[in-house]
Amino acid sequence: ERLKSYDDDAYREAIARYGDALYRYVYSLTGDHQLAEDIVGETYLMMIEAIEGYSYSGAPFKAWLYRIAHNLAVNALKRANRMVAVEDLEQVAQPITDPAIRVVDQLAAAEVRGALEQLTEEQRHVLLLRFVGGQSPREVAQVLDKTENAVKQMQWRALRSLERLLPRPS
């Protein structure tokens, strides 16, 4: 309601609450810092432009916001004729100062990236929304316009595929 009344504080609250996670999610889709920043900015602009039409229908506001960002990212990638890639996932994580841990983490991230690229586009989106974006299955369903059960099944299949694709720890 505060956003609908164009309350500046509500707008700042939305950015503070969702900004970092939304950026990480968009970056995980695009692999491009500048493009991710542009898409997140455009997401907030569209949020303000479309807020009058928003009404709570059981799905949280966050899912509505992520759906806007998801659609903008997919459209931007189509316009650029690029595949949705999972690159530099380690850059969206918190920095690690121990060099030994950093090397191990970079090797593991490269293996995960390679495995994620072998999944279907939908499976990648589900995993990125769930584990990078921190979304619940219900929120992912809203973003992808799928049922919650379909999202759970895609997540299960994606995780099983990753299990087959990733080497077992020794």
Side-chain angles (χ1 to χ4, degrees):
E1 292 304 314
R2 289 177 45 220
L3 283 170
K4 285 184 178 188
S5 66
Y6 300 104
D7 179 342
D8 286 341
D9 289 334
Y11 179 72
R12 281 190 279 282
E13 247 178 73
I15 291 173
R17 182 177 293 169
Y18 305 113
D20 291 343
L22 189 63
Y23 170 80
R24 284 191 303 272
Y25 170 66
V26 172
Y27 177 74
S28 71
L29 291 176
T30 65
D32 181 317
H33 289 291
Q34 185 62 47
L35 182 58
E37 288 175 1
D38 292 346
I39 290 169
V40 170
E42 192 174 343
T43 299
Y44 288 123
L45 179 62
M46 288 190 73
M47 173 190 76
I48 293 300
E49 290 173 351
I51 195 67
E52 285 298 320
Y54 173 79
S55 63
Y56 181 75
S57 60
F61 174 78
K62 179 168 112 174
W64 181 72
L65 192 62
Y66 269 76
R67 184 176 184 122
I68 292 170
H70 174 83
N71 290 340
L72 289 171
V74 168
N75 290 339
L77 291 168
K78 285 179 184 175
R79 278 193 309 272
N81 197 24
R82 294 185 350 201
M83 296 281 294
V84 174
V86 181
E87 296 175 319
D88 301 324
L89 282 178
E90 64 274 7
Q91 291 184 19
V92 297
Q94 295 297 320
I96 297 171
T97 55
D98 183 337
I101 293 173
R102 180 176 284 159
V103 169
V104 170
D105 285 351
Q106 286 175 346
L107 291 172
E111 290 173 348
V112 170
R113 260 197 320 278
L116 283 170
E117 289 172 358
Q118 294 181 51
L119 300 177
T120 68
E121 186 175 327
E122 279 191 331
Q123 288 175 334
R124 272 195 310 271
H125 287 304
V126 167
L127 292 182
L128 292 172
L129 281 165
R130 288 281 291 126
F131 302 112
V132 176
Q135 304 291 307
S136 70
R138 183 178 191 175
E139 291 168 329
V140 173
Q142 291 291 320
V143 170
L144 298 179
D145 199 24
K146 304 275 183 199
T147 66
E148 191 172 343
N149 282 336
V151 166
K152 289 177 180 178
Q153 289 175 358
M154 279 189 278
Q155 178 182 325
W156 185 82
R157 285 187 201 112
L159 291 173
R160 290 293 161 247
S161 294
L162 284 178
E163 185 176 43
R164 284 191 316 276
L165 294 167
L166 290 171
R168 298 238 186 256
S170 346

